[in-house]
Structures are given as structure tokens and as C-alpha cells.
Coordinates of all heavy atoms in Angstrom, one line a residue:
M11 N 119.2 114.0 78.2 CA 119.8 112.9 78.8 C 119.0 111.7 78.5 O 117.8 111.5 78.8 CB 120.0 113.0 80.3 CG 120.5 111.8 81.0 SD 120.5 111.8 82.9 CE 120.5 113.5 83.4
K12 N 119.6 110.7 78.0 CA 119.0 109.4 77.6 C 119.2 108.4 78.9 O 120.3 108.1 79.2 CB 119.6 108.7 76.4 CG 119.2 109.4 75.1 CD 117.9 108.7 74.5 CE 117.8 109.4 73.2 NZ 116.4 108.9 72.7
L13 N 118.0 107.9 79.3 CA 118.1 107.0 80.4 C 117.1 105.8 80.1 O 116.1 106.0 79.5 CB 117.5 107.5 81.7 CG 118.3 108.7 82.4 CD1 117.6 109.3 83.5 CD2 119.7 108.2 82.9
N14 N 117.6 104.6 80.4 CA 116.7 103.4 80.2 C 116.2 103.0 81.6 O 114.9 103.0 81.6 CB 117.5 102.3 79.6 CG 117.9 102.6 78.1 OD1 117.3 103.3 77.4 ND2 119.1 102.0 77.7
T15 N 117.0 102.7 82.5 CA 116.6 102.2 83.8 C 117.5 102.8 84.9 O 118.7 102.9 84.6 CB 116.6 100.7 83.9 OG1 115.9 100.1 82.9 CG2 116.1 100.2 85.3
L16 N 116.9 103.3 85.9 CA 117.7 103.9 87.0 C 117.3 103.2 88.3 O 116.1 102.9 88.6 CB 117.4 105.3 87.0 CG 118.2 106.3 88.0 CD1 119.7 106.2 87.6 CD2 117.7 107.7 87.9
Y17 N 118.3 102.8 89.1 CA 118.1 102.3 90.5 C 118.5 103.2 91.6 O 119.6 103.9 91.4 CB 118.8 101.0 90.6 CG 118.4 100.0 89.6 CD1 119.2 99.9 88.4 CD2 117.4 99.1 89.7 CE1 118.8 99.0 87.3 CE2 117.1 98.1 88.8 CZ 117.8 98.2 87.6 OH 117.5 97.2 86.6
F18 N 117.8 103.3 92.7 CA 118.3 104.0 93.8 C 117.8 103.3 95.2 O 116.8 102.6 95.1 CB 117.9 105.5 93.8 CG 116.4 105.8 93.7 CD1 115.8 106.2 94.9 CD2 115.8 105.7 92.6 CE1 114.4 106.4 94.8 CE2 114.4 106.0 92.5 CZ 113.7 106.4 93.7
V19 N 118.6 103.5 96.2 CA 118.4 102.8 97.5 C 118.3 104.0 98.5 O 119.1 104.8 98.5 CB 119.4 101.9 97.9 CG1 119.2 101.2 99.2 CG2 119.5 100.8 96.8
V20 N 117.2 104.0 99.2 CA 116.9 105.0 100.2 C 117.2 104.3 101.7 O 116.7 103.2 101.8 CB 115.6 105.7 100.2 CG1 115.3 106.6 101.2 CG2 115.4 106.2 98.8
T21 N 117.8 105.0 102.7 CA 118.0 104.5 103.8 C 117.7 105.5 104.9 O 117.7 106.8 104.7 CB 119.4 103.8 104.1 OG1 119.5 103.1 105.2 CG2 120.5 104.9 104.0
D22 N 117.6 105.1 106.2 CA 117.4 106.0 107.3 C 118.6 106.0 108.1 O 119.0 105.1 108.7 CB 116.2 105.5 108.2 CG 115.7 106.5 109.2 OD1 116.5 107.4 109.6 OD2 114.7 106.2 109.8
Y23 N 119.2 107.2 108.1 CA 120.5 107.4 108.9 C 120.2 108.0 110.3 O 121.1 108.5 110.9 CB 121.4 108.4 108.1 CG 121.9 108.0 106.9 CD1 121.4 108.4 105.6 CD2 123.0 107.0 106.7 CE1 121.8 107.9 104.4 CE2 123.5 106.5 105.6 CZ 122.9 107.0 104.4 OH 123.4 106.6 103.2
G24 N 119.1 107.7 110.8 CA 118.7 107.9 112.2 C 118.6 109.5 112.4 O 118.0 110.1 111.5
K25 N 119.4 110.0 113.3 CA 119.2 111.4 113.5 C 119.7 112.3 112.5 O 119.4 113.5 112.3 CB 119.9 111.8 114.9 CG 121.5 111.6 114.9 CD 122.0 112.0 116.2 CE 123.6 111.7 116.2 NZ 124.1 112.0 117.5
N26 N 120.5 111.7 111.4 CA 120.9 112.4 110.4 C 119.9 112.4 109.2 O 120.1 113.1 108.2 CB 122.2 111.9 109.9 CG 123.4 112.1 110.7 OD1 123.5 113.1 111.4 ND2 124.2 111.2 110.9
G27 N 118.9 111.8 109.4 CA 117.7 111.8 108.4 C 117.7 110.8 107.3 O 118.7 109.8 107.3
I28 N 116.8 110.9 106.3 CA 116.7 109.9 105.3 C 117.6 110.3 104.2 O 117.5 111.5 103.8 CB 115.2 109.6 105.0 CG1 114.5 109.0 106.1 CG2 115.1 108.9 103.6 CD1 113.0 108.9 105.9
G29 N 118.2 109.4 103.4 CA 119.0 109.8 102.3 C 119.3 108.6 101.5 O 118.9 107.4 101.7
N30 N 120.0 108.8 100.4 CA 120.4 107.7 99.5 C 121.5 107.0 100.0 O 122.5 107.5 100.7 CB 120.9 108.3 98.2 CG 119.9 108.9 97.4 OD1 118.6 108.7 97.6 ND2 120.2 109.7 96.3
A31 N 121.4 105.7 99.8 CA 122.6 104.7 100.3 C 123.3 104.5 99.0 O 123.2 103.5 98.2 CB 122.0 103.4 100.7
G32 N 124.2 105.4 98.7 CA 125.0 105.5 97.5 C 124.2 106.4 96.4 O 123.2 106.8 96.6
D33 N 124.8 106.6 95.3 CA 124.2 107.4 94.2 C 123.2 106.6 93.5 O 123.3 105.3 93.4 CB 125.3 107.8 93.2 CG 126.3 108.8 93.9 OD1 125.9 109.5 94.9 OD2 127.5 108.9 93.6
A34 N 122.3 107.3 92.8 CA 121.4 106.7 91.9 C 122.3 106.0 90.8 O 123.3 106.7 90.4 CB 120.3 107.5 91.4
T35 N 121.9 104.9 90.2 CA 122.8 104.3 89.2 C 122.0 103.4 88.2 O 120.9 103.0 88.5 CB 123.8 103.3 90.0 OG1 124.6 102.6 89.1 CG2 123.0 102.3 90.8
A36 N 122.6 103.3 87.0 CA 121.9 102.5 85.9 C 122.3 101.1 86.2 O 121.9 100.1 85.5 CB 122.3 103.0 84.6
D37 N 123.2 100.9 87.1 CA 123.9 99.5 87.4 C 123.0 98.8 88.6 O 123.2 99.2 89.7 CB 125.3 99.6 87.7 CG 126.0 98.4 88.0 OD1 125.4 97.3 88.1 OD2 127.3 98.4 87.9
R38 N 122.3 97.8 88.2 CA 121.5 97.1 89.2 C 122.3 96.4 90.3 O 122.0 96.5 91.4 CB 120.5 96.0 88.6 CG 119.6 95.4 89.5 CD 118.9 94.2 89.0 NE 117.9 93.5 89.8 CZ 118.2 92.9 90.9 NH1 119.4 92.5 91.2 NH2 117.2 92.3 91.6
D39 N 123.4 95.9 89.8 CA 124.3 95.2 90.8 C 125.0 96.2 91.8 O 125.0 95.9 93.0 CB 125.5 94.5 90.1 CG 125.1 93.3 89.3 OD1 123.9 92.7 89.6 OD2 125.8 92.9 88.4
L40 N 125.2 97.4 91.4 CA 125.7 98.4 92.3 C 124.6 98.9 93.3 O 124.8 99.0 94.5 CB 126.3 99.6 91.6 CG 126.8 100.8 92.3 CD1 127.8 100.3 93.3 CD2 127.1 101.9 91.5
A41 N 123.4 99.0 92.8 CA 122.3 99.3 93.7 C 122.0 98.2 94.7 O 121.8 98.5 95.9 CB 120.9 99.6 92.8
Y42 N 122.1 96.9 94.3 CA 121.9 95.8 95.1 C 123.1 95.9 96.2 O 122.8 95.7 97.5 CB 122.0 94.5 94.4 CG 122.0 93.4 95.3 CD1 120.8 93.0 96.0 CD2 123.1 92.6 95.5 CE1 120.8 91.9 96.9 CE2 123.1 91.5 96.3 CZ 122.0 91.1 97.1 OH 121.9 90.0 97.9
S43 N 124.3 96.2 95.8 CA 125.5 96.3 96.7 C 125.2 97.4 97.7 O 125.5 97.3 98.9 CB 126.7 96.5 95.9 OG 127.8 96.7 96.8
N44 N 124.6 98.5 97.3 CA 124.3 99.6 98.2 C 123.2 99.2 99.2 O 123.3 99.5 100.4 CB 123.7 100.9 97.4 CG 124.9 101.5 96.6 OD1 126.1 101.3 96.8 ND2 124.4 102.2 95.6
Y45 N 122.2 98.4 98.8 CA 121.2 97.9 99.7 C 121.9 97.0 100.7 O 121.7 97.1 101.9 CB 120.2 97.1 98.9 CG 119.2 96.4 99.6 CD1 118.0 97.0 100.2 CD2 119.3 95.0 99.9 CE1 117.2 96.4 100.9 CE2 118.3 94.4 100.7 CZ 117.3 95.0 101.2 OH 116.4 94.3 102.0
C46 N 122.7 96.1 100.2 CA 123.4 95.2 101.2 C 124.3 95.9 102.2 O 124.3 95.6 103.4 CB 124.3 94.1 100.4 SG 123.3 93.0 99.5
D47 N 124.9 97.0 101.8 CA 125.8 97.8 102.7 C 124.9 98.4 103.8 O 125.3 98.4 104.9 CB 126.5 98.8 101.9 CG 127.7 98.4 101.1 OD1 128.0 97.2 101.2 OD2 128.2 99.1 100.1
A48 N 123.8 99.0 103.3 CA 122.9 99.5 104.4 C 122.3 98.6 105.4 O 122.4 98.8 106.5 CB 121.7 100.3 103.6
I49 N 121.9 97.4 104.8 CA 121.4 96.3 105.6 C 122.5 95.9 106.6 O 122.3 95.6 107.8 CB 120.8 95.2 104.8 CG1 119.6 95.7 104.1 CG2 120.5 94.0 105.7 CD1 118.5 96.2 104.9
G50 N 123.7 95.7 106.1 CA 124.8 95.3 106.9 C 125.2 96.2 108.0 O 125.7 95.8 109.0
D51 N 124.9 97.5 107.8 CA 125.1 98.6 108.8 C 123.9 98.7 109.7 O 123.7 99.8 110.4 CB 125.4 99.8 108.1 CG 126.8 99.9 107.4 OD1 127.7 99.0 107.9 OD2 127.0 100.7 106.6
D52 N 122.9 97.8 109.6 CA 121.7 97.8 110.4 C 120.9 99.0 110.1 O 120.3 99.6 111.1 CB 122.0 97.6 111.9 CG 122.4 96.1 112.3 OD1 121.9 95.3 111.6 OD2 123.2 96.0 113.1
Q53 N 120.8 99.5 108.9 CA 120.0 100.6 108.5 C 118.8 100.1 107.6 O 119.0 99.4 106.7 CB 120.8 101.6 107.7 CG 121.9 102.2 108.4 CD 122.8 103.0 107.4 OE1 123.1 102.6 106.4 NE2 123.3 104.2 107.9
P54 N 117.7 100.5 108.0 CA 116.5 100.1 107.1 C 116.7 100.7 105.7 O 117.2 101.8 105.6 CB 115.3 100.6 107.9 CG 115.8 101.7 108.8 CD 117.1 101.3 109.1
A55 N 116.4 99.9 104.8 CA 116.7 100.5 103.3 C 115.5 100.0 102.5 O 114.9 98.9 102.6 CB 118.0 99.9 102.8
R56 N 115.2 100.8 101.5 CA 114.2 100.5 100.5 C 114.8 100.8 99.1 O 115.6 101.8 99.0 CB 112.9 101.3 100.6 CG 112.2 100.9 102.0 CD 111.0 101.8 102.3 NE 110.0 101.5 101.4 CZ 108.8 102.1 101.5 NH1 108.4 102.9 102.5 NH2 107.8 101.7 100.7
A57 N 114.5 99.9 98.1 CA 115.1 100.1 96.8 C 114.0 100.3 95.8 O 113.0 99.8 95.8 CB 115.9 98.7 96.4
F58 N 114.4 101.1 94.8 CA 113.4 101.5 93.7 C 114.0 101.4 92.4 O 115.2 101.6 92.2 CB 112.9 102.9 93.9 CG 112.2 103.1 95.4 CD1 112.9 103.5 96.5 CD2 110.8 102.9 95.4 CE1 112.3 103.6 97.7 CE2 110.2 103.0 96.7 CZ 110.9 103.3 97.8
M59 N 113.1 101.2 91.3 CA 113.6 101.1 90.0 C 112.7 102.1 89.2 O 111.5 102.2 89.3 CB 113.5 99.8 89.4 CG 113.8 99.6 88.0 SD 113.5 98.0 87.4 CE 111.8 98.0 87.3
M60 N 113.4 102.9 88.4 CA 112.7 103.8 87.4 C 113.1 103.4 86.1 O 114.2 103.3 85.7 CB 113.0 105.2 87.7 CG 112.7 105.8 89.0 SD 113.4 107.4 89.4 CE 112.3 108.3 88.5
Q61 N 111.9 103.2 85.2 CA 112.2 102.8 83.8 C 111.7 104.0 82.9 O 110.6 104.6 83.2 CB 111.5 101.6 83.4 CG 112.2 100.3 84.1 CD 111.5 99.1 83.6 OE1 110.2 98.9 83.6 NE2 112.3 98.0 83.4
F62 N 112.5 104.3 81.9 CA 112.2 105.3 81.0 C 111.9 104.9 79.5 O 112.5 103.9 79.2 CB 113.4 106.4 81.0 CG 113.7 106.9 82.3 CD1 114.4 106.3 83.2 CD2 113.0 108.2 82.7 CE1 114.6 106.9 84.5 CE2 113.3 108.7 84.0 CZ 114.1 108.1 84.9
D63 N 111.1 105.6 78.8 CA 110.8 105.3 77.5 C 112.1 105.4 76.7 O 112.8 106.4 76.8 CB 109.8 106.2 76.9 CG 109.4 106.0 75.5 OD1 110.0 106.4 74.5 OD2 108.5 105.2 75.4
I64 N 112.4 104.4 75.8 CA 113.6 104.5 75.0 C 113.6 105.6 74.0 O 114.6 106.2 73.8 CB 113.8 103.1 74.4 CG1 114.2 102.0 75.4 CG2 115.1 103.1 73.4 CD1 114.3 100.5 74.9
G65 N 112.4 105.9 73.5 CA 112.4 106.8 72.4 C 112.6 108.3 72.9 O 113.2 109.0 72.4
N66 N 111.8 108.7 74.0 CA 111.8 110.0 74.4 C 112.2 110.3 75.8 O 112.2 111.4 76.3 CB 110.3 110.6 74.2 CG 109.3 109.8 75.1 OD1 109.6 109.1 76.1 ND2 108.0 110.0 74.7
S67 N 112.7 109.2 76.4 CA 113.3 109.3 77.8 C 112.3 109.8 78.9 O 112.6 110.2 79.9 CB 114.5 110.2 77.9 OG 115.6 109.6 77.2
E68 N 111.0 109.7 78.6 CA 109.9 110.1 79.7 C 109.8 108.8 80.6 O 109.9 107.6 80.2 CB 108.6 110.3 78.9 CG 108.6 111.7 78.2 CD 107.3 112.0 77.6 OE1 106.2 111.3 77.9 OE2 107.1 112.9 76.8
L69 N 109.5 109.2 81.8 CA 109.3 108.2 82.8 C 108.2 107.3 82.5 O 107.1 107.8 82.2 CB 109.1 108.9 84.2 CG 108.9 107.9 85.3 CD1 110.1 107.1 85.6 CD2 108.5 108.7 86.6
E70 N 108.3 106.0 82.4 CA 107.3 105.0 82.2 C 106.8 104.4 83.4 O 105.5 104.3 83.7 CB 107.7 104.0 81.2 CG 107.7 104.5 79.8 CD 108.0 103.3 78.8 OE1 108.6 102.2 79.3 OE2 107.5 103.4 77.6
I71 N 107.7 103.8 84.2 CA 107.3 103.0 85.5 C 108.3 103.3 86.5 O 109.5 103.4 86.3 CB 107.4 101.5 85.1 CG1 106.6 101.0 84.0 CG2 107.2 100.6 86.3 CD1 106.8 99.7 83.4
T72 N 107.7 103.4 87.7 CA 108.6 103.5 89.0 C 108.0 102.4 89.8 O 106.8 102.4 90.1 CB 108.4 104.8 89.6 OG1 108.9 105.9 88.7 CG2 109.3 104.9 90.9
R73 N 108.8 101.5 90.4 CA 108.3 100.5 91.3 C 109.3 100.2 92.3 O 110.5 100.3 92.1 CB 107.9 99.3 90.5 CG 109.0 98.4 89.9 CD 108.3 97.1 89.3 NE 109.4 96.3 88.9 CZ 109.8 95.2 89.7 NH1 109.3 95.0 90.7 NH2 110.8 94.4 89.2
E74 N 108.9 99.8 93.4 CA 109.6 99.4 94.6 C 110.2 97.9 94.3 O 109.4 97.1 94.0 CB 108.9 99.5 95.9 CG 109.8 99.1 97.1 CD 109.3 99.6 98.4 OE1 108.1 100.0 98.4 OE2 110.0 99.4 99.5
I75 N 111.4 97.8 94.5 CA 112.1 96.5 94.3 C 112.7 95.9 95.5 O 113.6 95.1 95.5 CB 113.0 96.4 93.1 CG1 114.2 97.5 93.3 CG2 112.3 96.7 91.7 CD1 115.3 97.4 92.3
T76 N 112.3 96.5 96.7 CA 113.0 96.1 98.0 C 112.8 94.6 98.2 O 113.8 93.9 98.7 CB 112.3 96.9 99.1 OG1 112.5 98.3 98.9 CG2 113.0 96.5 100.4
S77 N 111.6 94.0 98.0 CA 111.4 92.6 98.2 C 112.4 91.8 97.4 O 112.8 90.7 97.7 CB 109.9 92.3 98.0 OG 109.4 92.5 96.7
D78 N 112.5 92.2 96.0 CA 113.5 91.4 95.2 C 114.9 91.4 95.8 O 115.6 90.4 95.9 CB 113.6 92.0 93.8 CG 112.3 92.1 93.1 OD1 111.4 91.3 93.5 OD2 112.2 92.8 92.1
F79 N 115.4 92.7 96.2 CA 116.7 92.7 96.8 C 116.8 92.0 98.2 O 117.7 91.2 98.5 CB 117.1 94.2 97.1 CG 117.5 94.9 95.9 CD1 117.6 94.3 94.7 CD2 118.0 96.2 96.0 CE1 118.0 95.0 93.5 CE2 118.6 96.8 94.9 CZ 118.6 96.3 93.6
R80 N 115.6 92.0 99.0 CA 115.6 91.3 100.3 C 115.8 89.8 100.0 O 116.5 89.2 100.7 CB 114.3 91.7 101.1 CG 114.3 90.9 102.4 CD 112.9 91.2 103.2 NE 112.9 92.6 103.4 CZ 111.8 93.3 103.0 NH1 110.8 92.9 102.3 NH2 111.7 94.6 103.3
D81 N 115.0 89.3 99.0 CA 115.0 87.9 98.7 C 116.4 87.4 98.3 O 116.9 86.4 98.7 CB 114.0 87.5 97.7 CG 112.6 87.7 98.1 OD1 112.4 87.8 99.3 OD2 111.6 87.7 97.2
E82 N 117.0 88.2 97.5 CA 118.4 88.0 97.0 C 119.4 87.9 98.2 O 120.3 87.0 98.3 CB 118.9 88.9 96.0 CG 118.3 88.8 94.7 CD 118.8 89.8 93.6 OE1 120.0 89.9 93.5 OE2 118.0 90.3 93.0
Y83 N 119.2 88.8 99.1 CA 120.1 89.0 100.3 C 120.0 87.8 101.2 O 121.0 87.1 101.6 CB 119.8 90.3 101.0 CG 120.5 90.4 102.3 CD1 121.8 91.1 102.2 CD2 120.2 90.1 103.5 CE1 122.5 91.3 103.4 CE2 120.9 90.3 104.7 CZ 122.1 90.9 104.6 OH 122.8 91.1 105.7
V84 N 118.7 87.3 101.4 CA 118.5 86.3 102.3 C 119.1 85.1 101.6 O 119.7 84.1 102.3 CB 117.0 86.1 102.6 CG1 116.7 84.7 103.2 CG2 116.5 87.2 103.5
Y85 N 118.7 84.8 100.3 CA 119.3 83.6 99.6 C 120.8 83.5 99.6 O 121.4 82.5 99.9 CB 118.8 83.7 98.1 CG 119.5 82.6 97.3 CD1 118.9 81.2 97.4 CD2 120.5 82.7 96.4 CE1 119.4 80.2 96.7 CE2 121.0 81.7 95.8 CZ 120.5 80.4 95.8 OH 121.1 79.4 95.1
E86 N 121.5 84.7 99.4 CA 122.9 84.7 99.5 C 123.5 84.3 100.9 O 124.5 83.6 101.0 CB 123.5 86.0 99.0 CG 123.4 86.2 97.5 CD 124.1 87.4 97.0 OE1 124.9 88.0 97.8 OE2 123.7 87.9 95.9
C87 N 122.8 84.9 101.9 CA 123.3 84.6 103.3 C 123.1 83.0 103.6 O 124.0 82.4 104.2 CB 122.4 85.4 104.3 SG 123.0 87.2 104.3
I88 N 122.0 82.5 103.2 CA 121.7 81.0 103.4 C 122.7 80.3 102.7 O 123.4 79.4 103.1 CB 120.3 80.7 103.1 CG1 119.4 81.3 104.1 CG2 120.2 79.2 102.9 CD1 117.9 81.2 103.6
D89 N 123.0 80.6 101.3 CA 123.9 79.9 100.5 C 125.4 79.9 101.0 O 126.0 79.0 100.9 CB 123.7 80.5 99.0 CG 124.5 79.6 98.0 OD1 124.3 78.5 98.0 OD2 125.4 80.2 97.3
R90 N 125.7 81.1 101.6 CA 127.1 81.2 102.1 C 127.2 80.9 103.6 O 128.2 81.1 104.2 CB 127.6 82.6 101.9 CG 127.6 82.9 100.4 CD 127.9 84.3 100.1 NE 127.9 84.6 98.7 CZ 128.3 85.7 98.1 NH1 128.6 86.7 98.9 NH2 128.2 85.9 96.8
D91 N 126.1 80.4 104.3 CA 126.1 80.2 105.7 C 126.5 81.3 106.5 O 127.3 81.3 107.4 CB 126.9 78.9 105.9 CG 126.6 78.3 107.4 OD1 125.4 78.5 107.8 OD2 127.5 77.7 107.9
L92 N 126.0 82.6 106.2 CA 126.2 83.8 106.9 C 125.0 84.2 107.6 O 123.8 83.8 107.3 CB 126.5 84.9 105.9 CG 127.8 84.6 105.0 CD1 127.8 85.8 104.0 CD2 129.0 84.7 105.9
P93 N 125.2 84.9 108.7 CA 123.9 85.4 109.5 C 123.3 86.4 108.6 O 123.8 87.2 107.9 CB 124.6 86.1 110.7 CG 126.0 86.4 110.4 CD 126.5 85.4 109.4
I94 N 121.9 86.4 108.9 CA 121.0 87.3 108.1 C 120.8 88.5 109.1 O 120.4 88.2 110.3 CB 119.7 86.6 107.8 CG1 120.0 85.4 106.8 CG2 118.7 87.6 107.2 CD1 118.8 84.6 106.5
S95 N 121.0 89.7 108.6 CA 120.7 90.9 109.4 C 119.5 90.9 110.1 O 118.4 90.5 109.4 CB 121.0 92.1 108.6 OG 120.7 93.3 109.3
N96 N 119.3 91.3 111.3 CA 118.1 91.5 112.0 C 117.1 92.5 111.3 O 115.8 92.4 111.4 CB 118.3 92.0 113.5 CG 118.9 90.9 114.3 OD1 118.8 89.7 114.0 ND2 119.6 91.4 115.3
I97 N 117.7 93.4 110.6 CA 116.9 94.5 109.9 C 115.9 93.8 108.8 O 114.9 94.4 108.5 CB 117.8 95.5 109.4 CG1 117.1 96.9 109.2 CG2 118.4 95.2 108.1 CD1 117.0 97.6 110.5
I98 N 116.4 92.7 108.3 CA 115.6 92.1 107.3 C 114.2 91.7 107.7 O 113.3 91.7 107.0 CB 116.4 90.8 106.7 CG1 117.5 91.2 105.9 CG2 115.4 89.9 105.9 CD1 117.1 91.9 104.6
G99 N 114.1 91.3 109.0 CA 112.8 91.0 109.5 C 111.8 92.1 109.7 O 110.7 91.9 109.8
E100 N 112.4 93.3 109.7 CA 111.5 94.5 109.9 C 110.7 94.9 108.6 O 111.3 94.6 107.5 CB 112.4 95.7 110.3 CG 113.0 95.5 111.8 CD 113.8 96.7 112.1 OE1 113.6 97.8 111.5 OE2 114.5 96.6 113.2
A101 N 109.6 95.5 108.8 CA 108.9 96.0 107.7 C 109.7 97.2 107.1 O 110.1 98.0 107.8 CB 107.5 96.4 108.0
A102 N 110.1 97.1 105.9 CA 110.8 98.2 105.2 C 109.9 99.4 104.7 O 108.8 99.2 104.4 CB 111.6 97.7 104.0

């Protein structure tokens, strides 16, 4: 399987445990949408990106991108004059 970049969002479903907020995806916008959905449901969420070598598909980099998604979320809320979820202020 050839992969370039993969995004996934993890959330805490409370008594149901920790799981994915949507499927892992190669689409960053979909991952961001999954993050926003979790935050909108007052669920703490963390976002991650995995990058793979183009030649052999081996994992090269995994990094957390929660702060990037959080910044975009806050900017969009301010830009649209929408309330910012209380969950944003919590340490993810």
C-alpha cells in the first residue's frame, strides 16, 4: 500500500473509552472536520499526522498537529463571530 501522508484524530468518549473521531484519512480537511466535530461535541481531541517515504512507504515522521488544528478552529470561530468551545482551553 502506497501512502504519502495520513491524518487521524483521537478523542475521549468518556465511559466508552478512547477512540478515533472518524476514520484515519489522507485528507487533511476531513481530519480537521473530524477534530471540529469532536470539539463541538465537547470531547477532548488530539490530532496526528504520519508521513511516509514516497519511495518505499516506510514511516518517516509522526507528529502531533493538535495545536495547528486548535489555532485554525479558534481563528475560524473569531472570524465568524462564533463561540469558542470550552474544551479548547483545556490541555489536550
Side-chain angles (χ1 to χ4, degrees):
M11 173 186 340
K12 287 266 189 189
L13 294 171
N14 292 331
T15 304
L16 188 64
Y17 302 91
F18 60 99
V19 177
V20 178
T21 189
D22 186 347
Y23 292 104
K25 65 181 178 178
N26 291 326
I28 294 173
N30 290 345
D33 293 331
T35 180
D37 183 342
R38 185 189 183 284
D39 291 340
L40 179 56
Y42 174 72
S43 179
N44 292 340
Y45 173 82
C46 291
D47 288 346
I49 295 300
D51 290 339
D52 289 329
Q53 296 169 321
R56 294 175 74 172
F58 300 89
M59 176 186 70
M60 300 172 75
Q61 290 181 318
F62 299 87
D63 183 271
I64 293 173
N66 61 18
S67 293
E68 289 183 8
L69 180 63
E70 282 191 333
I71 298 169
T72 299
R73 74 178 185 95
E74 184 167 4
I75 57 172
T76 304
S77 61
D78 297 342
F79 280 6
R80 181 183 298 124
D81 291 348
E82 287 180 46
Y83 179 86
V84 169
Y85 175 79
E86 286 186 20
C87 287
I88 292 169
D89 190 50
R90 297 176 185 181
D91 198 26
L92 297 170
I94 298 171
S95 174
N96 291 334
I97 206 81
I98 286 295
E100 294 182 10

